[in-house]
Amino acid sequence: MPEFIATAIAHPNIAFIKYWGNLDDRLRLPQNSSLSMNLAGLETRTTVQFDPGLERDSLTINAQPASGDALQRASVFLDHLRQLAGKPLYARIESISNFPSGAGIASSAAAYAALALAGSRALGLELSERQVTILARRGSGSAARSIPGGYVEWHAATRDEDCFAESIAPPEHWELTDCIAVIQTEHKPVGSTQGHALATSSPLQAARVADAPRRLEVCRSALLNRDFAALAEIVELDSNLMHAVMMTSQPSLFYWAPQSLAIMKAVASWRRENIQACYSLDAGPNVHVICTAGYARQVRERLEAMPGVLSVLSAPPGGPARIV
Ligand code: DP6
């Protein structure tokens, strides 16, 4: 009998140009294209085993059995995979991450990238990298960006098959470091999936989306030219725009905490001292401080000295998701 089992590892990613709001929530077709860096050192390792003897799917996250929404979401994703492969088998999923989940460190990105890669391999599907990004996207939008390596662009499109992610530069293109100031590790009260559904209720979302192609272009060329000043300006603008949409949606979503704002202001002032660093926040209070490698140690020490910072994780650019 064939062995329907595989293990994959994927990194989370930090978006420089953010994904917020879908054209189609079920298919996770985003309203705008986005651009990110994979985070080396932080990873999710997932083993998927499809087994004719199982009567339902099961999921463990960091060795704890998951139920409710987390299991339901994974099962819906597996249904899509089973349909693609034509194999109606239930699966056992075991997922382990080495970083806190639910606090704006894109845990769903790494989780669904690893699940898409391991799951498709376990069922014997022969998919191209592009096809795996499309599959991962169905589980979590940002997971599409954790499949290719290094710096990755995810293209918005109105058709499922056109909405994929691809690498625009390998990790070694530019040694940026993401120093993540962790100020909370608990699960956020409103997850990204619910947040995306509220985006359009903000009167600012249409303006954010309309200007997104311009920001993406500025960000892409800053990255390809290794122009930190230009990168810093566009990364902070894009993060602020997304949070402006979040804060003005109905109901309003405030993902940042007072300590987040203190760090944002400090980082902007460090830049006036010629330290190459800028901030970006996802759907959580932790602050991602992106800096050039030469400043990483100094940035880390300064962040560790700030009130409310529990720890600082540092991540250089990471490679693609891979089968192990
Ligand atoms: C704020 O990809 O987590 O991190 O598709 O519902 O899983 P789902 O949402 P998710 O949204 C990420 C939102 C963000 C910005 C970004 O990473 O682009």
Side-chain angles (χ1 to χ4, degrees), residues 27-107:
L27 295 179
R28 291 188 157 84
L29 297 173
Q31 291 180 21
N32 63 278
S33 300
S34 54
L35 197 163
S36 60
M37 175 180 110
N38 279 350
L39 302 178
L42 310 182
E43 57 186 43
T44 298
R45 169 190 284 259
T46 299
T47 298
V48 187
Q49 181 168 27
F50 292 89
D51 181 341
L54 293 174
E55 288 176 4
R56 61 185 69 85
D57 296 318
S58 69
L59 168 66
T60 63
I61 301 175
N62 296 329
Q64 301 294 320
S67 57
D69 290 349
L71 175 60
Q72 169 68 12
R73 180 172 175 175
S75 262
V76 168
F77 180 78
L78 291 179
D79 286 343
H80 177 57
L81 203 53
R82 286 184 271 260
Q83 204 190 355
L84 284 178
K87 294 198 176 85
L89 300 173
Y90 290 112
R92 202 177 285 119
I93 308 170
E94 287 174 16
S95 179
I96 293 179
S97 297
N98 67 355
F99 58 95
S101 69
I105 310 179
S107 52

Side-chain angles (χ1 to χ4, degrees), residues 13-20 22 25 28 34-36 73 104 106-109 112 137-143 145 154 188 191-194 196 242-243 246 255 281-284:
N13 64 76
I14 177 66
F16 294 167
I17 299 297
K18 308 290 189 189
Y19 150 51
W20 196 248
N22 287 312
D25 283 324
R28 291 188 157 84
S34 54
L35 197 163
S36 60
R73 180 172 175 175
S107 52
S108 67
Y112 277 93
R137 194 200 79 226
R138 294 283 286 258
S140 173
S142 56
R145 298 189 311 242
W154 169 25
K188 57 199 171 201
S192 305
T193 303
Q194 289 164 275
H196 288 295
M242 180 182 72
H243 285 268
M246 292 162 161
Y255 282 110
L281 276 78
D282 278 346

Side-chain angles (χ1 to χ4, degrees), residues 230-305:
L231 184 80
E233 194 178 314
I234 205 71
V235 165
E236 291 189 355
L237 172 65
D238 194 84
S239 173
N240 292 346
L241 278 168
M242 180 182 72
H243 285 268
V245 166
M246 292 162 161
M247 288 188 284
T248 53
S249 66
Q250 286 170 317
S252 62
L253 298 172
F254 281 73
Y255 282 110
W256 51 272
Q259 297 98 314
S260 323
L261 187 58
I263 296 170
M264 288 153 77
K265 291 179 99 167
V267 170
S269 79
W270 299 345
R271 214 159 49 250
R272 290 193 287 277
E273 296 174 45
N274 290 324
I275 292 178
Q276 291 189 317
C278 65
Y279 66 78
S280 182
L281 276 78
D282 278 346
N286 298 332
V287 184
H288 294 255
V289 182
I290 316 298
C291 58
T292 48
Y295 290 100
R297 199 171 139 201
Q298 201 178 347
V299 165
R300 192 191 171 106
E301 284 169 3
R302 286 185 181 214
L303 288 172
E304 278 167 351

